[in-house]
Amino acid sequence: MIDDDEDEVENVNRKSLSAVPSWLMVGFVIGVVTMWLFRSLPPELQPELAPTPPAVAAVAAAEVVEPTTLARSSVALAEALFETYRDWVFWNEDKTQIALWNSEAMAFSDHFEVIRTLEGDYFRSISEFTRLPLPGYGPPSSPVLFTETLEQRYKREISLHPDALPKKKKPAPVELNSLPPPPSG
């Protein structure tokens, strides 16, 4: 029984094997050799890189911000503003989404999802809304942009404009063809 397994292994058709792994290895080896050659060149033969302009370097250095500090202050600001404007929120399944005004971007660009529980409200930063924004809703000059679901918007639109709904008509009765009389006989 062992001899049969060995015969199967020896009978593998080598032409059906893929050549892709060997080409990947050749490309990798060529890349390593190229990098090794450029590093071992004397400094006068190495290609020169364009110097970074000092203005760009100063701006890049000024923009370095500790990410954890930024996230904590944004969430703290979101909590404070949310508590102030809590009465304007549309909840759905104990969740809502808000955006805060960013004066640097001049837009409502800081998005948060708020989850309401018995213990309190939980905030998490999100990249974009999954609900519909309500521009112009809320108190005047509000730094918070509120959202609503599609179902909430539909219900609100119906309550504001009930006459805009199409009038329902009774469907016409269905007329059935009569069956032919049974054969006499």
Side-chain angles (χ1 to χ4, degrees):
M1 184 118 177
I2 296 175
D3 294 333
D4 291 338
D5 291 337
E6 289 177 6
D7 289 341
E8 289 177 18
V9 172
E10 291 175 7
N11 291 334
V12 173
N13 186 0
R14 295 193 185 272
K15 290 184 180 182
S16 66
L17 296 177
S18 174
V20 172
S22 59
W23 282 110
L24 289 175
M25 183 57 83
V26 169
F28 178 75
V29 170
I30 289 173
V32 168
V33 169
T34 304
M35 291 302 297
W36 179 72
L37 286 175
F38 276 116
R39 288 190 180 252
S40 64
L41 287 176
E44 59 271 359
L45 293 179
Q46 289 183 355
E48 286 188 30
L49 299 175
T52 305
V56 174
V59 170
E63 290 180 0
V64 175
V65 177
E66 186 77 25
T68 56
T69 306
L70 181 64
R72 282 190 207 130
S73 66
S74 295
V75 170
L77 180 63
E79 289 174 352
L81 288 173
F82 183 79
E83 196 58 42
T84 304
Y85 298 104
R86 176 183 210 91
D87 296 336
W88 296 91
V89 173
F90 285 102
W91 292 100
N92 183 22
E93 297 179 1
D94 290 329
K95 292 181 185 176
T96 190
Q97 294 177 351
I98 60 170
L100 301 182
W101 180 259
N102 186 331
S103 57
E104 291 177 4
M106 298 300 288
F108 287 102
S109 59
D110 301 332
H111 299 88
F112 295 91
E113 181 178 53
V114 184
I115 301 172
R116 177 174 60 178
T117 66
L118 294 175
E119 293 83 29
D121 298 329
Y122 294 95
F123 293 79
R124 79 177 177 112
S125 179
I126 56 177
S127 60
E128 60 184 27
F129 285 143
T130 57
R131 298 176 181 220
L132 303 171
L134 290 165
Y137 173 76
S141 303
S142 173
V144 179
L145 177 64
F146 301 96
T147 61
E148 65 184 345
T149 63
L150 183 61
E151 181 182 0
Q152 288 171 327
R153 180 164 293 177
Y154 180 72
K155 287 179 181 178
R156 188 170 52 83
E157 291 292 326
I158 287 176
S159 67
L160 292 174
H161 307 287
D163 54 330
L165 287 175
K167 301 295 181 200
K168 292 185 179 180
K169 294 181 182 179
K170 287 187 177 181
V174 178
E175 294 182 23
L176 300 174
N177 294 332
S178 60
L179 296 174
S184 58

